[in-house]
Amino acid sequence: EITAENFEKYLTNSYLDTTQDKREYFNIILFATLILLMIMILICFITGILGMIFDLIPIILNIHKGLSILLVFFLAIHIYVYHKKMRI
């Protein structure tokens, strides 16, 4: 039970304590991976639209299919790792 006497102690011991200095470091590998995935998603979107416009050029649809499969693969890895961290 929180009372006026133990209020400060409760705040210090709670998980909401923001007095501790938490540093977040910039990770260049993670940043490069995110940029690469965003570029792949953009290319996949553009090739999908171009594939609908230019039906006679099958290379555009092949690029779109390959990128789509690769992005679904990355999504599956992300879901697996995220749920693995959530179980701990």
Side-chain angles (χ1 to χ4, degrees):
E1 182 178 336
I2 302 173
T3 62
E5 292 81 28
N6 67 1
F7 182 73
E8 291 296 325
K9 184 177 180 183
Y10 175 77
L11 283 181
T12 305
N13 293 336
S14 71
Y15 68 95
L16 297 174
D17 186 14
T18 58
T19 59
Q20 294 181 354
D21 187 26
K22 181 180 178 184
R23 296 184 184 265
E24 294 190 18
Y25 297 101
F26 181 75
N27 189 344
I28 190 71
I29 296 172
L30 180 62
F31 180 73
T33 305
L34 289 175
I35 295 296
L36 179 67
L37 284 175
M38 286 183 210
I39 290 171
M40 287 174 58
I41 290 170
L42 183 65
I43 291 173
C44 189
F45 179 74
I46 291 171
T47 56
I49 294 206
L50 289 177
M52 289 189 285
I53 295 172
F54 303 114
D55 286 337
L56 299 176
I57 306 173
I59 190 75
I60 295 175
L61 286 174
N62 289 338
I63 292 171
H64 177 72
K65 287 178 187 176
L67 276 176
S68 297
I69 291 169
L70 191 62
L71 288 172
V72 168
F73 179 71
F74 283 134
L75 177 65
I77 291 173
H78 170 76
I79 291 172
Y80 174 75
V81 170
Y82 180 73
H83 283 289
K84 188 176 179 182
K85 286 182 182 178
M86 293 298 289
R87 278 187 253 142
I88 293 175

